[in-house]
Amino acid sequence: MLRLFAFVLFLSTNFAIAQEIAITFDDAPTSEGPLFSGAERTEKILNHLSNQKVKEVAFFILTGNINARNSQRLTRYTKAGHLLANHTHRHKHIHEIGTMAYIRDVAIADSILKLKPGFRNWFRYPFLDEGKSVSVRDSLREGIKNLGLINGYVTIDNYDWYLNNLVKQATQSNKKINENKLGQLYIDHVYNSILFYDKVARQNLGRSPKHVLLLHENDLAALYLGDLIMHLQKKGWKIISTVDAYMDPIATHAPDVLFNGQGRVAAIAREKGIPARDLVQISEDEEYLDKLVKDSHIFE
């Protein structure tokens, strides 16, 4: 009887902190990178997903990046069962172009993407920036709603894009790259971000939600996505579809805050009064990552 009670307690505890995560990629189709052409990167990402039996991820598309040369890459993604969503046409900050121009930019992307197979009506703000004032934020939310789009939020932010920039700088300086060390740093960086925001969620939601991981369609993903997925699965995480993730109850709650740049979980915590400084993972900092990469002797 005691053993049975312990087993039931184990199951109930693990159900309460279920670890589920969807993988999404911003800025596709990204052009040539420091290590791969765009076409090479697409094939490598698809191979990782296929090898790890991940059936569906979402690519948030910058339609201004689409041209005759790379449009086939989006077809490759959708034919493999993956989804496309809106990430604007030009990837601008709201304060750079104004609210009306911003909404027009979203509408241009929508007019291009809604004709493509695999399109879902999710919109993700570039930089996760919803505006610096309540009036701008609410105008954008209303404009996006009027286009028939819903917020393609993330729950886990990280600086994978900055690590990719450091790789680009290293290759331009003809430095050698220790790919094993780089891969370990990449996986540790992303996984630490997952643990951080999951802890924020459990502390402020009382549970682990269906998470949405923000990655970028870059060369680091082309190199290490398979290893990252294997690491997550080894640690007990289940890779779920983006469709499934956006069925979590937090999908219907738009936090009444201006602190949205760290994702929805952090925004909900901020709405509850948690200081903003406590809602940013330590490695989401360029100086921190510069020092970490240097101390790790990744580029020589």
Side-chain angles (χ1 to χ4, degrees):
M1 181 66 70
L2 184 60
R3 287 183 179 179
L4 178 61
F5 175 78
F7 180 68
V8 171
L9 180 62
F10 170 81
L11 288 180
S12 63
T13 301
N14 278 270
F15 179 80
I17 57 170
Q19 296 175 311
E20 297 181 312
I21 190 166
I23 299 173
T24 66
F25 297 89
D26 278 9
D27 299 355
T30 303
S31 61
E32 282 60 28
L35 304 176
F36 305 112
S37 69
E40 289 172 333
R41 185 186 313 112
T42 289
E43 294 308 312
K44 287 182 178 294
I45 288 174
L46 285 173
N47 286 338
H48 286 307
L49 294 170
S50 176
N51 291 340
Q52 301 307 318
K53 297 180 172 55
V54 176
K55 295 182 179 180
E56 182 255 278
V57 302
F59 293 87
F60 284 78
I61 307 302
L62 280 177
T63 54
N65 285 355
I66 301 174
N67 55 41
R69 184 178 178 184
N70 64 27
S71 62
Q72 187 63 24
R73 290 166 55 195
L74 303 188
T75 303
R76 289 286 296 121
Y77 288 138
T78 56
K79 281 188 174 181
H82 305 297
L83 305 177
L84 310 180
N86 191 327
H87 197 40
T88 73
H89 187 64
R90 295 180 293 164
H91 204 274
K92 296 292 186 180
H93 275 292
I94 299 156
H95 66 266
E96 292 179 306
I97 60 175
T99 304
M100 295 305 297
Y102 188 95
I103 293 173
R104 283 196 298 270
D105 204 59
V106 177
I108 291 170
D110 181 63
S111 68
I112 295 169
L113 289 169
K114 67 184 179 182
L115 302 175
K116 295 186 177 297
F119 172 67
R120 292 293 178 127
N121 65 329
W122 303 321
F123 168 71
R124 180 167 295 165
Y125 291 86
F127 315 103
L128 305 181
D129 174 17
E130 296 190 33
K132 298 181 183 300
S133 69
V134 171
S135 61
V136 168
R137 181 201 67 189
D138 290 350
S139 293
L140 289 176
R141 287 179 176 178
E142 184 66 20
I144 289 161
K145 180 181 178 181
N146 290 340
L147 288 171
L149 299 171
I150 60 177
N151 192 328
Y153 65 84
V154 308
T155 64
I156 298 164
D157 189 24
N158 72 88
Y159 265 37
D160 69 317
W161 60 270
Y162 187 70
L163 289 176
N164 198 74
N165 286 349
L166 294 181
V167 173
K168 181 177 181 179
Q169 293 172 19
T171 57
Q172 290 174 340
S173 301
N174 295 316
K175 292 183 178 180
K176 293 182 179 179
I177 301 174
N178 187 317
E179 290 193 1
N180 289 332
K181 289 184 178 180
L182 177 61
Q184 190 59 58
L185 187 145
Y186 172 77
I187 291 167
D188 288 346
H189 168 71
V190 175
Y191 188 60
N192 287 339
S193 295
I194 292 171
L195 293 180
F196 176 85
Y197 288 107
D198 190 54
K199 181 178 179 181
V200 170
R202 286 184 282 109
Q203 290 176 337
N204 292 278
L205 299 176
R207 64 185 179 90
S208 179
K210 295 178 186 290
H211 281 290
V212 181
L213 173 64
L214 168 58
L215 296 176
H216 290 80
E217 193 217 42
N218 58 28
D219 286 0
L220 288 179
L223 280 172
Y224 305 119
L225 179 62
D227 293 334
L228 175 62
I229 293 170
M230 285 191 289
H231 182 78
L232 290 174
Q233 292 171 335
K234 182 179 178 181
K235 295 293 186 179
W237 287 83
K238 178 184 178 183
I239 310 300
I240 62 174
S241 73
T242 316
V243 174
D244 189 8
Y246 285 148
M247 293 178 69
D248 192 276
I250 64 172
T252 61
H253 176 63
D256 186 16
V257 294
L258 295 175
F259 182 82
N260 292 293
Q262 305 305 126
R264 178 146 297 186
V265 162
I268 291 172
R270 183 73 189 98
E271 188 178 42
K272 290 177 176 289
I274 305 301
R277 64 179 178 273
D278 295 337
L279 300 172
V280 182
Q281 213 270 118
I282 189 172
S283 65
E284 292 180 69
D285 178 84
E286 295 178 14
E287 290 185 6
Y288 177 93
L289 289 174
D290 285 338
K291 185 176 187 305
L292 181 62
V293 167
K294 181 179 179 181
D295 292 346
S296 301
H297 303 288
I298 290 172
F299 307 128
E300 301 289 352

